Structures are given as structure tokens and as C-alpha cells.
Amino acid sequence: MPSPAPTPPDRGLRRSGATLVTGAGGEVGHGLLGAMHAAGRRNIVAIDLRGFDEGQQALCRETIVGDICERPLLQRLQSMYEITEIYHLAALLSTRTEFTPEAGHEINVGGTLKLLHLAAAQARSHGKRVKFMFPSSIAVYGLSDLAAKERAGAVGEDEFTQPTTMYGCNKLYCEHLGRYYAHHYRQLVQDRMDHTVDFRGIRYPGLISAETLPSGGTSDYAAEMVHAAAEGKPYSCFVRPDTRIPFMTMPGAIEALLVLAATDEQRLSRCVYNVKSFSPSAAELADLVGEFFPGALITFEPDPQRQAIMDSWPLDVDDSAARADWGYQPRHDLRSAFKEYLVPGIKARYKTL
Ligand code: SER
């Protein structure tokens, strides 16, 4: 009779393969974990400072409540997992960061630097490149005034990058850090391993989700006015009716991130890409909300400081590079975003709460 198979000697010593998602409890993280799980991915390790609900825990191999800036956490990840992809979503958004710019910098830049270092260390330890997906933002742009914003129209990735917010500065610098890690990291060192990090950034416009509400952003008014209407609450919008920047829905944003991640590297001509779906004014948004939620009460009481930030962001972005290189296509136009996604999703959300 054959004897039972011996326990493999390396049991417990091998690291498990993993995709790491930071800031996974946030708005983009919520949608991303669901989309990855739906695509059959079962090796997700998710981190968030704020914790996770049960639904999210069920989508992940491990959920870790912790701060990405903490060394012991990063060391544990390095010792436990063979990470091949990182989705680094953790960040403090533009409005919140203006109250504590140095803390914002620590999270947005310090956190990104640590994660890029982890990516490079991982690549060195398992010998494969680590893909690093980075959501950047329309906040990297800075137009000097409304006339300049009008004149600029749809801005390209390399134009008008003089952000006026700490968050915008952070995101822009992190794009440069990503490019540096991808192409020049430790360039003078003898035992340098080439191309350890495959950095890919996507500059999101304002995002609107039916499932979650944003917090601490300056483009939050769009989502806030739809959610308030669905709850039957009045909403006072903190920007002028004529305020215009591009937006996209959360499913569109997640799809774009996953398509960019899946694209053959040879097709990518840049490290960072603009994307957008539609570019409504705040008044146009309010009109649509009123059409789908008759009786919605939306007033405009602009906050001068937050208005100034919105006035510095472009009214449109040129996403032709994303379309040409990786076939980006907006998932929704403004009306279909409301009709097919936001209105049914938000109604369902508030009915079940
Ligand atoms: N939505 C973000 C903000 O308003 C911009 O990326 O801060």
C-alpha cells in the first residue's frame, strides 16, 4: 500500500500570489473589488484605514485595516505575498487636503512613494515586473482664470499642469514618480534590475457613483445633488450653475482602469492618460436631476474657495491618446448615465436603506 504523500517541505514558506488594492474601502475601491471578483479574480489583498464591510471582505483573499504609510504593514506584505499588480487608490481628496496640506502630502505622496518602493522590491524578489495602476486626477491641471479655461477648451495631458491645490500637486508629482520608477529607478547602481515597475496612470475627471457618496472632493456636488434628490432632501450646490468640468460614472471609471491594466505595454505611448465621458455644467446636471426626480429642490450657494478650485480645472480634457492607444470609449453619455445607471441604481440604494 502506498504511504501517504509527505508534507511538502516548503509548506508555509512560499508566498502567495496577490493583487494589492490600497484605499479599497473608498468609492473606486468599492466598485473595483466587485468588478475584479466578477472577473474571477480571487487573489485580492485589500487595505484601507477605515475598515471594510462584510460584502467587501467576501470579495478578497485578505482585508487589512491599516495605514499604507506604516512600515510594519508594508514589511508584512513583502514577507507574505508575491505581489504582481498594485492598484494604489488610497488618497485624501482635493477639498479635504486643503485643510491639512502637509497631512495630505504625507498620504498622497508619502504613501505612493512607499508603494512604488514596495513594487520595486517585490519585482526584485520574484523577478517579474509589478504593474502599478494609479488613479490620477483632473486636479493636476491649473487654469489661471475663467477666460483661460474657456480659451483652453479640451486640454491635452501635457498642457496647463500648474495645479492650485495640494492634491493636484501631489497627483502630478506622483505621476512623475511613477514614470521615474518605471524607467529610471536607481539608474546609476551596478546591480540595477531594469524596468521593475510597469506604471500606468489614468487622470479621472469628476466621478459619480450610484452606490457610494464621495467625501472630501471638490467635484462632489454632482453626486451629492443626485443622491439628495433620491432621498427627497433639498440640496444647496456649492458652485455656480455655469461651472463645467468633465465627469464619468463609476462603472465607466473602473472599466477604463481595468482595460488600461490589461493593455499590451507595446501599445502604450504614455505613462498617464486623460479619460472623460461628458462635460455638463452644474445647471445642466441640476436640470437632469429635476427631470428624473420631479420635485427635487436644488439651489446654488457658491462657496468662493471651492469655486476657485473648480474654475482652475479644465472644462474638458482631450482623451484622444487613450482612445488611440488602448481603445478607450466612454461607457455612458450624460443622458444614458442618468437613465441606465444613476437613477435606477440610486433609487434601489435608498429603497433598501
Ligand atoms: N474628484 C476629485 C476631487 O474632487 C478630483 O480627482 O478631489
Side-chain angles (χ1 to χ4, degrees):
M1 208 175 133
S3 51
T7 307
D10 61 352
R11 203 174 125 183
L13 295 180
R14 285 228 178 106
R15 298 184 300 175
S16 322
T19 292
L20 181 66
V21 182
T22 73
E27 277 216 290
V28 178
H30 251 92
L32 183 65
L33 294 185
M36 284 176 158
H37 193 266
R41 294 174 70 160
R42 298 289 178 268
N43 63 346
I44 311 297
V45 175
I47 304 180
D48 202 292
L49 202 52
R50 297 156 291 188
F52 297 91
D53 56 42
E54 271 177 32
Q56 284 185 303
Q57 284 170 15
L59 304 175
C60 301
R61 175 191 201 109
E62 184 181 358
T63 48
I64 301 172
V65 180
D67 182 346
I68 48 148
C69 295
E70 277 172 17
R71 225 176 131 99
L73 171 57
L74 296 167
Q75 284 168 339
R76 175 164 173 267
L77 290 170
Q78 175 72 353
S79 73
M80 295 283 293
Y81 292 107
E82 204 172 286
I83 298 167
T84 48
E85 259 184 285
I86 297 176
Y87 289 76
H88 177 43
L89 312 179
L92 210 59
L93 293 182
S94 57
T95 291
R96 185 62 42 220
T97 298
E98 285 312 303
F99 291 102
T100 51
E102 292 78 14
H105 186 279
E106 209 169 305
I107 295 165
N108 296 339
V109 175
T112 303
L113 185 67
K114 288 192 164 77
L115 267 296
L116 283 165
H117 187 195
L118 175 72
Q122 280 277 329
R124 282 179 76 84
S125 72
H126 57 56
K128 288 168 272 185
R129 296 187 77 189
V130 174
K131 197 172 283 174
F132 195 102
M133 301 305 298
F134 182 70
S136 186
S137 164
I138 190 168
V140 301
Y141 297 109
L143 282 311
S144 53
D145 53 34
L146 272 179
K149 176 164 167 156
E150 282 295 328
R151 271 198 310 276
V155 305
E157 282 91 347
D158 301 320
E159 302 176 287
F160 304 106
T161 48
Q162 277 98 34
T164 64
T165 62
M166 175 59 107
Y167 173 76
C169 294
N170 295 164
K171 286 288 185 185
L172 187 60
Y173 176 58
C174 288
E175 292 179 1
H176 286 299
L177 281 178
R179 185 178 48 77
Y180 166 76
Y181 270 78
H183 300 295
H184 311 290
Y185 182 53
R186 300 173 84 234
Q187 57 194 291
L188 299 182
V189 173
Q190 290 285 331
D191 69 341
R192 173 170 185 259
M193 182 180 154
D194 245 1
H195 302 306
T196 48
V197 179
D198 176 3
F199 178 88
R200 304 179 184 197
I202 194 163
R203 281 188 193 157
Y204 281 140
L207 300 180
I208 319 180
S209 170
E211 288 80 32
T212 51
L213 265 167
S215 81
T218 316
S219 61
D220 294 2
Y221 62 90
E224 284 172 357
M225 68 169 78
V226 200
H227 282 255
E231 284 188 283
K233 292 183 181 163
Y235 182 69
S236 158
C237 180
F238 58 81
V239 295
R240 287 187 319 266
D242 65 293
T243 307
R244 191 186 294 279
I245 63 157
F247 282 92
M248 72 199 299
T249 61
M250 193 57 76
I254 285 157
E255 185 176 82
L257 191 64
L258 291 172
V259 171
L260 175 59
T263 299
D264 183 349
E265 198 187 353
Q266 306 305 320
R267 290 175 53 193
L268 303 180
S269 61
R270 341 178 26 93
C271 281
V272 179
Y273 290 87
N274 281 338
V275 288
K276 58 103 187 281
S277 286
F278 36 79
S279 233
S281 68
E284 286 161 2
L285 281 170
D287 287 349
L288 262 179
V289 173
E291 186 182 322
F292 285 99
F293 297 96
L297 189 62
I298 298 172
T299 51
F300 289 87
E301 290 171 59
D303 171 85
Q305 278 83 30
R306 292 180 99 184
Q307 181 71 58
I309 293 176
M310 288 305 294
D311 289 345
S312 77
W313 293 355
L315 55 81
D316 199 359
V317 292
D318 176 359
D319 61 3
S320 54
R323 290 173 188 255
D325 288 4
W326 45 280
Y328 170 69
Q329 283 295 328
R331 173 133 170 196
H332 295 109
D333 59 23
L334 181 58
R335 181 158 286 278
S336 72
F338 270 76
K339 200 163 176 257
E340 290 162 23
Y341 167 64
L342 285 170
V343 174
I346 291 179
K347 279 188 175 161
R349 178 181 198 264
Y350 290 106
K351 213 177 287 160
T352 54
L353 278 185

PDB file of all heavy atoms in Angstrom, residues 49-78:
ATOM      1  N   LEU A  49      -7.744  52.139   5.706  1.00  0.00           N
ATOM      2  CA  LEU A  49      -7.660  52.673   7.072  1.00  0.00           C
ATOM      3  C   LEU A  49      -9.002  52.569   7.794  1.00  0.00           C
ATOM      4  O   LEU A  49      -9.069  52.402   9.009  1.00  0.00           O
ATOM      5  CB  LEU A  49      -7.271  54.146   6.945  1.00  0.00           C
ATOM      6  CG  LEU A  49      -6.618  54.877   8.098  1.00  0.00           C
ATOM      7  CD1 LEU A  49      -5.418  54.112   8.605  1.00  0.00           C
ATOM      8  CD2 LEU A  49      -6.196  56.272   7.626  1.00  0.00           C
ATOM      9  N   ARG A  50     -10.089  52.700   6.991  1.00  0.00           N
ATOM     10  CA  ARG A  50     -11.421  52.807   7.600  1.00  0.00           C
ATOM     11  C   ARG A  50     -12.115  51.472   7.828  1.00  0.00           C
ATOM     12  O   ARG A  50     -13.201  51.422   8.364  1.00  0.00           O
ATOM     13  CB  ARG A  50     -12.318  53.664   6.693  1.00  0.00           C
ATOM     14  CG  ARG A  50     -11.837  55.072   6.537  1.00  0.00           C
ATOM     15  CD  ARG A  50     -12.350  55.680   5.246  1.00  0.00           C
ATOM     16  NE  ARG A  50     -11.735  55.074   4.069  1.00  0.00           N
ATOM     17  CZ  ARG A  50     -11.877  55.514   2.834  1.00  0.00           C
ATOM     18  NH1 ARG A  50     -12.623  56.554   2.595  1.00  0.00           N
ATOM     19  NH2 ARG A  50     -11.271  54.905   1.823  1.00  0.00           N
ATOM     20  N   GLY A  51     -11.504  50.395   7.374  1.00  0.00           N
ATOM     21  CA  GLY A  51     -12.142  49.090   7.551  1.00  0.00           C
ATOM     22  C   GLY A  51     -13.034  48.726   6.374  1.00  0.00           C
ATOM     23  O   GLY A  51     -13.164  49.505   5.423  1.00  0.00           O
ATOM     24  N   PHE A  52     -13.635  47.552   6.443  1.00  0.00           N
ATOM     25  CA  PHE A  52     -14.408  47.008   5.323  1.00  0.00           C
ATOM     26  C   PHE A  52     -15.746  46.488   5.816  1.00  0.00           C
ATOM     27  O   PHE A  52     -15.848  46.016   6.949  1.00  0.00           O
ATOM     28  CB  PHE A  52     -13.645  45.827   4.704  1.00  0.00           C
ATOM     29  CG  PHE A  52     -12.322  46.222   4.122  1.00  0.00           C
ATOM     30  CD1 PHE A  52     -11.173  46.179   4.902  1.00  0.00           C
ATOM     31  CD2 PHE A  52     -12.217  46.648   2.812  1.00  0.00           C
ATOM     32  CE1 PHE A  52      -9.950  46.554   4.381  1.00  0.00           C
ATOM     33  CE2 PHE A  52     -10.995  47.019   2.283  1.00  0.00           C
ATOM     34  CZ  PHE A  52      -9.855  46.974   3.070  1.00  0.00           C
ATOM     35  N   ASP A  53     -16.743  46.537   4.917  1.00  0.00           N
ATOM     36  CA  ASP A  53     -17.980  45.863   5.296  1.00  0.00           C
ATOM     37  C   ASP A  53     -17.866  44.384   4.902  1.00  0.00           C
ATOM     38  O   ASP A  53     -16.941  43.983   4.197  1.00  0.00           O
ATOM     39  CB  ASP A  53     -19.204  46.556   4.679  1.00  0.00           C
ATOM     40  CG  ASP A  53     -19.117  46.653   3.171  1.00  0.00           C
ATOM     41  OD1 ASP A  53     -18.687  45.663   2.540  1.00  0.00           O
ATOM     42  OD2 ASP A  53     -19.453  47.712   2.612  1.00  0.00           O
ATOM     43  N   GLU A  54     -18.837  43.602   5.378  1.00  0.00           N
ATOM     44  CA  GLU A  54     -18.758  42.143   5.155  1.00  0.00           C
ATOM     45  C   GLU A  54     -18.758  41.789   3.676  1.00  0.00           C
ATOM     46  O   GLU A  54     -18.067  40.878   3.238  1.00  0.00           O
ATOM     47  CB  GLU A  54     -19.945  41.449   5.824  1.00  0.00           C
ATOM     48  CG  GLU A  54     -19.646  41.074   7.256  1.00  0.00           C
ATOM     49  CD  GLU A  54     -20.845  40.456   7.933  1.00  0.00           C
ATOM     50  OE1 GLU A  54     -21.638  39.780   7.250  1.00  0.00           O
ATOM     51  OE2 GLU A  54     -20.977  40.670   9.152  1.00  0.00           O
ATOM     52  N   GLY A  55     -19.562  42.548   2.917  1.00  0.00           N
ATOM     53  CA  GLY A  55     -19.647  42.294   1.483  1.00  0.00           C
ATOM     54  C   GLY A  55     -18.274  42.403   0.827  1.00  0.00           C
ATOM     55  O   GLY A  55     -17.890  41.568   0.002  1.00  0.00           O
ATOM     56  N   GLN A  56     -17.521  43.405   1.219  1.00  0.00           N
ATOM     57  CA  GLN A  56     -16.199  43.584   0.622  1.00  0.00           C
ATOM     58  C   GLN A  56     -15.239  42.491   1.072  1.00  0.00           C
ATOM     59  O   GLN A  56     -14.435  42.005   0.280  1.00  0.00           O
ATOM     60  CB  GLN A  56     -15.628  44.938   1.038  1.00  0.00           C
ATOM     61  CG  GLN A  56     -16.242  46.103   0.306  1.00  0.00           C
ATOM     62  CD  GLN A  56     -15.526  47.374   0.687  1.00  0.00           C
ATOM     63  OE1 GLN A  56     -15.461  47.721   1.858  1.00  0.00           O
ATOM     64  NE2 GLN A  56     -14.974  48.045  -0.289  1.00  0.00           N
ATOM     65  N   GLN A  57     -15.341  42.122   2.355  1.00  0.00           N
ATOM     66  CA  GLN A  57     -14.439  41.086   2.868  1.00  0.00           C
ATOM     67  C   GLN A  57     -14.600  39.799   2.064  1.00  0.00           C
ATOM     68  O   GLN A  57     -13.622  39.111   1.778  1.00  0.00           O
ATOM     69  CB  GLN A  57     -14.709  40.825   4.343  1.00  0.00           C
ATOM     70  CG  GLN A  57     -14.140  41.932   5.223  1.00  0.00           C
ATOM     71  CD  GLN A  57     -14.599  41.824   6.666  1.00  0.00           C
ATOM     72  OE1 GLN A  57     -15.111  40.800   7.088  1.00  0.00           O
ATOM     73  NE2 GLN A  57     -14.428  42.882   7.409  1.00  0.00           N
ATOM     74  N   ALA A  58     -15.856  39.524   1.677  1.00  0.00           N
ATOM     75  CA  ALA A  58     -16.116  38.278   0.954  1.00  0.00           C
ATOM     76  C   ALA A  58     -15.471  38.283  -0.443  1.00  0.00           C
ATOM     77  O   ALA A  58     -15.298  37.233  -1.046  1.00  0.00           O
ATOM     78  CB  ALA A  58     -17.623  38.078   0.830  1.00  0.00           C
ATOM     79  N   LEU A  59     -15.124  39.465  -0.940  1.00  0.00           N
ATOM     80  CA  LEU A  59     -14.556  39.552  -2.287  1.00  0.00           C
ATOM     81  C   LEU A  59     -13.033  39.409  -2.290  1.00  0.00           C
ATOM     82  O   LEU A  59     -12.417  39.354  -3.349  1.00  0.00           O
ATOM     83  CB  LEU A  59     -14.915  40.911  -2.922  1.00  0.00           C
ATOM     84  CG  LEU A  59     -16.397  41.273  -3.005  1.00  0.00           C
ATOM     85  CD1 LEU A  59     -16.574  42.683  -3.546  1.00  0.00           C
ATOM     86  CD2 LEU A  59     -17.134  40.272  -3.898  1.00  0.00           C
ATOM     87  N   CYS A  60     -12.437  39.379  -1.099  1.00  0.00           N
ATOM     88  CA  CYS A  60     -10.974  39.454  -1.022  1.00  0.00           C
ATOM     89  C   CYS A  60     -10.374  38.217  -0.356  1.00  0.00           C
ATOM     90  O   CYS A  60     -11.005  37.592   0.485  1.00  0.00           O
ATOM     91  CB  CYS A  60     -10.555  40.674  -0.198  1.00  0.00           C
ATOM     92  SG  CYS A  60     -11.167  42.207  -0.874  1.00  0.00           S
ATOM     93  N   ARG A  61      -9.158  37.941  -0.708  1.00  0.00           N
ATOM     94  CA  ARG A  61      -8.417  36.878  -0.019  1.00  0.00           C
ATOM     95  C   ARG A  61      -8.101  37.332   1.404  1.00  0.00           C
ATOM     96  O   ARG A  61      -8.196  36.595   2.355  1.00  0.00           O
ATOM     97  CB  ARG A  61      -7.126  36.651  -0.807  1.00  0.00           C
ATOM     98  CG  ARG A  61      -6.228  35.687  -0.163  1.00  0.00           C
ATOM     99  CD  ARG A  61      -4.860  35.710  -0.830  1.00  0.00           C
ATOM    100  NE  ARG A  61      -4.224  34.480  -0.517  1.00  0.00           N
ATOM    101  CZ  ARG A  61      -3.999  33.508  -1.370  1.00  0.00           C
ATOM    102  NH1 ARG A  61      -4.298  33.658  -2.641  1.00  0.00           N
ATOM    103  NH2 ARG A  61      -3.450  32.398  -0.990  1.00  0.00           N
ATOM    104  N   GLU A  62      -7.675  38.619   1.528  1.00  0.00           N
ATOM    105  CA  GLU A  62      -7.436  39.173   2.858  1.00  0.00           C
ATOM    106  C   GLU A  62      -7.782  40.657   2.832  1.00  0.00           C
ATOM    107  O   GLU A  62      -7.498  41.354   1.851  1.00  0.00           O
ATOM    108  CB  GLU A  62      -5.959  39.009   3.267  1.00  0.00           C
ATOM    109  CG  GLU A  62      -5.727  39.500   4.686  1.00  0.00           C
ATOM    110  CD  GLU A  62      -4.276  39.408   5.179  1.00  0.00           C
ATOM    111  OE1 GLU A  62      -3.403  38.915   4.434  1.00  0.00           O
ATOM    112  OE2 GLU A  62      -4.043  39.861   6.315  1.00  0.00           O
ATOM    113  N   THR A  63      -8.408  41.130   3.896  1.00  0.00           N
ATOM    114  CA  THR A  63      -8.607  42.576   4.036  1.00  0.00           C
ATOM    115  C   THR A  63      -7.799  43.028   5.253  1.00  0.00           C
ATOM    116  O   THR A  63      -7.824  42.375   6.300  1.00  0.00           O
ATOM    117  CB  THR A  63     -10.094  42.937   4.244  1.00  0.00           C
ATOM    118  OG1 THR A  63     -10.640  42.091   5.241  1.00  0.00           O
ATOM    119  CG2 THR A  63     -10.889  42.809   2.971  1.00  0.00           C
ATOM    120  N   ILE A  64      -7.077  44.104   5.085  1.00  0.00           N
ATOM    121  CA  ILE A  64      -6.211  44.594   6.161  1.00  0.00           C
ATOM    122  C   ILE A  64      -6.646  46.010   6.520  1.00  0.00           C
ATOM    123  O   ILE A  64      -6.706  46.888   5.649  1.00  0.00           O
ATOM    124  CB  ILE A  64      -4.736  44.624   5.698  1.00  0.00           C
ATOM    125  CG1 ILE A  64      -4.294  43.217   5.274  1.00  0.00           C
ATOM    126  CG2 ILE A  64      -3.833  45.174   6.796  1.00  0.00           C
ATOM    127  CD1 ILE A  64      -2.914  43.182   4.619  1.00  0.00           C
ATOM    128  N   VAL A  65      -6.953  46.232   7.783  1.00  0.00           N
ATOM    129  CA  VAL A  65      -7.277  47.581   8.235  1.00  0.00           C
ATOM    130  C   VAL A  65      -5.969  48.205   8.699  1.00  0.00           C
ATOM    131  O   VAL A  65      -5.364  47.754   9.678  1.00  0.00           O
ATOM    132  CB  VAL A  65      -8.305  47.554   9.383  1.00  0.00           C
ATOM    133  CG1 VAL A  65      -8.636  48.975   9.839  1.00  0.00           C
ATOM    134  CG2 VAL A  65      -9.571  46.832   8.938  1.00  0.00           C
ATOM    135  N   GLY A  66      -5.497  49.199   7.973  1.00  0.00           N
ATOM    136  CA  GLY A  66      -4.211  49.773   8.350  1.00  0.00           C
ATOM    137  C   GLY A  66      -3.813  50.927   7.461  1.00  0.00           C
ATOM    138  O   GLY A  66      -4.485  51.243   6.472  1.00  0.00           O
ATOM    139  N   ASP A  67      -2.696  51.549   7.835  1.00  0.00           N
ATOM    140  CA  ASP A  67      -2.190  52.748   7.176  1.00  0.00           C
ATOM    141  C   ASP A  67      -1.045  52.360   6.234  1.00  0.00           C
ATOM    142  O   ASP A  67      -0.050  51.785   6.679  1.00  0.00           O
ATOM    143  CB  ASP A  67      -1.689  53.691   8.290  1.00  0.00           C
ATOM    144  CG  ASP A  67      -1.174  55.003   7.756  1.00  0.00           C
ATOM    145  OD1 ASP A  67      -0.953  55.100   6.525  1.00  0.00           O
ATOM    146  OD2 ASP A  67      -0.984  55.920   8.568  1.00  0.00           O
ATOM    147  N   ILE A  68      -1.197  52.710   4.963  1.00  0.00           N
ATOM    148  CA  ILE A  68      -0.172  52.326   3.981  1.00  0.00           C
ATOM    149  C   ILE A  68       1.174  52.986   4.236  1.00  0.00           C
ATOM    150  O   ILE A  68       2.173  52.625   3.626  1.00  0.00           O
ATOM    151  CB  ILE A  68      -0.610  52.659   2.533  1.00  0.00           C
ATOM    152  CG1 ILE A  68      -1.139  54.094   2.465  1.00  0.00           C
ATOM    153  CG2 ILE A  68      -1.611  51.664   2.009  1.00  0.00           C
ATOM    154  CD1 ILE A  68      -0.895  54.753   1.170  1.00  0.00           C
ATOM    155  N   CYS A  69       1.168  54.010   5.115  1.00  0.00           N
ATOM    156  CA  CYS A  69       2.455  54.664   5.406  1.00  0.00           C
ATOM    157  C   CYS A  69       3.222  53.924   6.499  1.00  0.00           C
ATOM    158  O   CYS A  69       4.358  54.282   6.805  1.00  0.00           O
ATOM    159  CB  CYS A  69       2.215  56.117   5.825  1.00  0.00           C
ATOM    160  SG  CYS A  69       1.527  57.112   4.497  1.00  0.00           S
ATOM    161  N   GLU A  70       2.598  52.905   7.107  1.00  0.00           N
ATOM    162  CA  GLU A  70       3.268  52.217   8.224  1.00  0.00           C
ATOM    163  C   GLU A  70       4.202  51.116   7.745  1.00  0.00           C
ATOM    164  O   GLU A  70       3.792  50.218   7.011  1.00  0.00           O
ATOM    165  CB  GLU A  70       2.216  51.617   9.163  1.00  0.00           C
ATOM    166  CG  GLU A  70       1.686  52.624  10.153  1.00  0.00           C
ATOM    167  CD  GLU A  70       0.522  52.058  10.939  1.00  0.00           C
ATOM    168  OE1 GLU A  70       0.351  50.830  10.944  1.00  0.00           O
ATOM    169  OE2 GLU A  70      -0.215  52.878  11.525  1.00  0.00           O
ATOM    170  N   ARG A  71       5.420  51.199   8.200  1.00  0.00           N
ATOM    171  CA  ARG A  71       6.458  50.258   7.786  1.00  0.00           C
ATOM    172  C   ARG A  71       6.135  48.792   8.087  1.00  0.00           C
ATOM    173  O   ARG A  71       6.277  47.936   7.204  1.00  0.00           O
ATOM    174  CB  ARG A  71       7.753  50.636   8.512  1.00  0.00           C
ATOM    175  CG  ARG A  71       8.969  50.641   7.672  1.00  0.00           C
ATOM    176  CD  ARG A  71      10.094  51.126   8.572  1.00  0.00           C
ATOM    177  NE  ARG A  71      11.218  50.215   8.456  1.00  0.00           N
ATOM    178  CZ  ARG A  71      12.251  50.464   7.697  1.00  0.00           C
ATOM    179  NH1 ARG A  71      12.303  51.576   7.015  1.00  0.00           N
ATOM    180  NH2 ARG A  71      13.244  49.611   7.625  1.00  0.00           N
ATOM    181  N   PRO A  72       5.667  48.483   9.318  1.00  0.00           N
ATOM    182  CA  PRO A  72       5.403  47.071   9.611  1.00  0.00           C
ATOM    183  C   PRO A  72       4.375  46.453   8.664  1.00  0.00           C
ATOM    184  O   PRO A  72       4.497  45.291   8.288  1.00  0.00           O
ATOM    185  CB  PRO A  72       4.869  47.097  11.050  1.00  0.00           C
ATOM    186  CG  PRO A  72       5.341  48.376  11.624  1.00  0.00           C
ATOM    187  CD  PRO A  72       5.455  49.338  10.503  1.00  0.00           C
ATOM    188  N   LEU A  73       3.393  47.251   8.270  1.00  0.00           N
ATOM    189  CA  LEU A  73       2.372  46.744   7.349  1.00  0.00           C
ATOM    190  C   LEU A  73       3.007  46.403   6.004  1.00  0.00           C
ATOM    191  O   LEU A  73       2.770  45.337   5.420  1.00  0.00           O
ATOM    192  CB  LEU A  73       1.273  47.796   7.187  1.00  0.00           C
ATOM    193  CG  LEU A  73       0.218  47.542   6.105  1.00  0.00           C
ATOM    194  CD1 LEU A  73      -0.484  46.223   6.325  1.00  0.00           C
ATOM    195  CD2 LEU A  73      -0.800  48.656   6.086  1.00  0.00           C
ATOM    196  N   LEU A  74       3.853  47.300   5.515  1.00  0.00           N
ATOM    197  CA  LEU A  74       4.492  47.068   4.218  1.00  0.00           C
ATOM    198  C   LEU A  74       5.459  45.874   4.298  1.00  0.00           C
ATOM    199  O   LEU A  74       5.552  45.077   3.372  1.00  0.00           O
ATOM    200  CB  LEU A  74       5.219  48.337   3.757  1.00  0.00           C
ATOM    201  CG  LEU A  74       4.273  49.517   3.501  1.00  0.00           C
ATOM    202  CD1 LEU A  74       5.042  50.818   3.355  1.00  0.00           C
ATOM    203  CD2 LEU A  74       3.432  49.280   2.244  1.00  0.00           C
ATOM    204  N   GLN A  75       6.139  45.764   5.442  1.00  0.00           N
ATOM    205  CA  GLN A  75       7.062  44.628   5.602  1.00  0.00           C
ATOM    206  C   GLN A  75       6.296  43.311   5.625  1.00  0.00           C
ATOM    207  O   GLN A  75       6.733  42.308   5.058  1.00  0.00           O
ATOM    208  CB  GLN A  75       7.869  44.790   6.894  1.00  0.00           C
ATOM    209  CG  GLN A  75       8.970  45.838   6.736  1.00  0.00           C
ATOM    210  CD  GLN A  75       9.595  46.234   8.061  1.00  0.00           C
ATOM    211  OE1 GLN A  75       9.005  46.049   9.126  1.00  0.00           O
ATOM    212  NE2 GLN A  75      10.789  46.799   7.993  1.00  0.00           N
ATOM    213  N   ARG A  76       5.129  43.335   6.257  1.00  0.00           N
ATOM    214  CA  ARG A  76       4.317  42.113   6.317  1.00  0.00           C
ATOM    215  C   ARG A  76       3.867  41.713   4.909  1.00  0.00           C
ATOM    216  O   ARG A  76       3.920  40.543   4.528  1.00  0.00           O
ATOM    217  CB  ARG A  76       3.108  42.346   7.222  1.00  0.00           C
ATOM    218  CG  ARG A  76       2.187  41.189   7.245  1.00  0.00           C
ATOM    219  CD  ARG A  76       1.192  41.197   8.394  1.00  0.00           C
ATOM    220  NE  ARG A  76       0.279  40.091   8.164  1.00  0.00           N
ATOM    221  CZ  ARG A  76      -0.869  40.195   7.519  1.00  0.00           C
ATOM    222  NH1 ARG A  76      -1.283  41.362   7.109  1.00  0.00           N
ATOM    223  NH2 ARG A  76      -1.622  39.137   7.304  1.00  0.00           N
ATOM    224  N   LEU A  77       3.457  42.719   4.126  1.00  0.00           N
ATOM    225  CA  LEU A  77       3.037  42.415   2.754  1.00  0.00           C
ATOM    226  C   LEU A  77       4.188  41.806   1.967  1.00  0.00           C
ATOM    227  O   LEU A  77       4.017  40.851   1.219  1.00  0.00           O
ATOM    228  CB  LEU A  77       2.571  43.705   2.053  1.00  0.00           C
ATOM    229  CG  LEU A  77       1.257  44.305   2.551  1.00  0.00           C
ATOM    230  CD1 LEU A  77       1.051  45.683   1.947  1.00  0.00           C
ATOM    231  CD2 LEU A  77       0.091  43.382   2.176  1.00  0.00           C
ATOM    232  N   GLN A  78       5.368  42.387   2.183  1.00  0.00           N
ATOM    233  CA  GLN A  78       6.554  41.902   1.451  1.00  0.00           C
ATOM    234  C   GLN A  78       6.858  40.455   1.833  1.00  0.00           C
ATOM    235  O   GLN A  78       7.255  39.650   0.987  1.00  0.00           O
ATOM    236  CB  GLN A  78       7.737  42.840   1.753  1.00  0.00           C
ATOM    237  CG  GLN A  78       9.075  42.426   1.179  1.00  0.00           C
ATOM    238  CD  GLN A  78       9.148  42.613  -0.342  1.00  0.00           C
ATOM    239  OE1 GLN A  78       8.169  42.923  -1.007  1.00  0.00           O
ATOM    240  NE2 GLN A  78      10.320  42.382  -0.899  1.00  0.00           N
TER     241      GLN A  78
END
